Amino acid sequence: IRQHLVKAKKLEAVEQMGAAISHEIRNPLTAALGFVQLLQESDLDEKKRDLYLSLVKGELESAERVIQDYLTFSKPSFHTLEELNVSEELAHVLTILQPLTNQNSVLVETNFSLNGLIKADRQKFHQCFLNLIKNAIESMPDGGVLYIETQSTSSQVTIQIKDSGVGMTRAQIERLGEPYYSTKEVKGTGLGMMVVYSIVRAMKGTIRVDSEPEKGTVFQISFPAY
Ligand code: ADP
Ligand code: MG
């Protein structure tokens, strides 16, 4: 009975989160729709038209950001555990982030171990590292170096993500993972690290953060080896 209660509670938390997220997506969509309706009015001068169009664009981008941070790889129903080679999966995430890497003039260096197998849900693994690597790239808006390393022993697989970006203060590090905590103003959702922590916890992994303002940040994530 006790186990059932715990499960029910967990489900409730997930449902509440789902409700909060659909709210985060619906709000900008509703706003965009409102501006589209205004655009349909016949006697609209060019200045107003441009303003409404840029507002529509901004709202749609905001909805897209929530989907990328929270839902990009989510799929309906069952979660299958597979044997994953972490280096191969990280290479895939880097490919997805190539446009952002180019846009920020970020140089990518990798040192991938050939081994390093874990048992995990591939989509969740991708969602987690998409958020970590995206944050690293976003911390270097004027360029820098992103270094990703994987290491494996018989008991652990460790992934290190290092950037030469803006870094964080101790107080900022302590707020990581708090829902909606973001220093990126309109460009942030504050959902990415919450997703990271919840996935790593579910995978029985650990997260270490070392950061220094203006120097950069290192995230070290370890999982039990398969
Ligand atoms: P978002 O990216 O939408 O702001 P996240 O939850 O992904 O939200 O991250 C929360 C905050 O943590 C960011 O706004 C940023 O201040 C900080 N942060 C996360 N990763 C890094 C990093 N690699 N370098 C500097 N700051 C970071
Ligand atoms: Mg983020």
Side-chain angles (χ1 to χ4, degrees):
I1 291 174
R2 217 161 130 200
Q3 261 198 336
H4 276 120
L5 269 180
V6 172
K7 264 199 184 153
K9 262 206 187 136
K10 266 194 191 158
L11 201 60
E12 211 173 88
V14 170
E15 278 164 4
Q16 274 172 9
M17 205 56 230
I21 298 306
S22 68
H23 196 244
E24 290 310 299
I25 297 169
R26 188 174 291 131
N27 276 347
L29 291 183
T30 305
L33 200 55
F35 293 123
V36 170
Q37 263 153 11
L38 289 175
L39 277 163
Q40 282 176 324
E41 281 173 17
S42 51
D43 52 347
L44 211 59
D45 61 58
E46 194 153 334
K47 234 177 155 182
K48 276 236 170 84
R49 203 194 65 139
D50 288 351
L51 172 68
Y52 293 156
L53 277 174
S54 75
L55 289 168
V56 168
K57 187 161 175 268
E59 295 299 323
L60 293 179
E61 281 168 349
S62 166
E64 163 59 22
R65 271 193 291 275
V66 175
I67 290 169
Q68 187 173 39
D69 286 2
Y70 193 77
L71 294 169
T72 299
F73 301 106
S74 74
K75 57 178 178 189
S77 73
F78 46 70
H79 307 281
T80 40
L81 296 184
E82 293 172 70
E83 189 183 302
L84 303 182
N85 179 312
V86 294
S87 302
E88 281 171 20
E89 302 307 324
L90 289 170
H92 175 74
V93 174
L94 280 173
T95 312
I96 295 172
L97 288 170
Q98 187 80 57
L100 186 64
T101 311
N102 291 344
Q103 205 178 305
N104 287 18
S105 312
V106 165
L107 185 72
V108 182
E109 286 174 12
T110 57
N111 186 5
F112 285 162
S113 141
L114 294 177
N115 308 316
L117 294 182
I118 61 170
K119 190 147 193 194
D121 179 313
R122 176 176 276 123
Q123 260 88 5
K124 290 232 162 72
F125 184 88
H126 287 175
Q127 186 77 60
C128 176
F129 285 91
L130 177 94
N131 275 307
L132 283 168
I133 300 173
K134 196 172 146 221
N135 281 340
I137 300 168
E138 286 170 348
S139 80
M140 303 182 279
D142 306 316
V145 181
L146 169 68
Y147 176 75
I148 304 184
E149 185 183 283
T150 59
Q151 275 177 355
S152 64
T153 66
S154 56
S155 62
Q156 264 199 337
V157 176
T158 301
I159 298 150
Q160 198 183 2
I161 298 165
K162 188 173 166 191
D163 65 62
S164 58
V166 294
M168 287 174 277
T169 63
R170 181 175 287 269
Q172 286 173 325
I173 292 175
E174 272 160 20
R175 294 196 64 182
L176 285 174
E178 195 180 295
Y180 309 116
Y181 166 66
S182 175
T183 55
K184 296 172 194 166
E185 295 177 2
V186 293
K187 292 220 161 167
T189 64
L191 295 171
M193 287 306 299
M194 182 199 75
V195 166
V196 167
Y197 277 98
S198 97
I199 292 174
V200 173
R201 194 181 314 126
M203 288 171 66
K204 300 193 170 33
T206 58
I207 303 182
R208 252 195 73 138
V209 193
D210 280 303
S211 190
E212 201 180 324
E214 264 125 79
K215 289 265 158 61
T217 302
V218 184
F219 276 95
Q220 192 171 304
I221 295 95
S222 298
F223 297 112
Y226 178 54

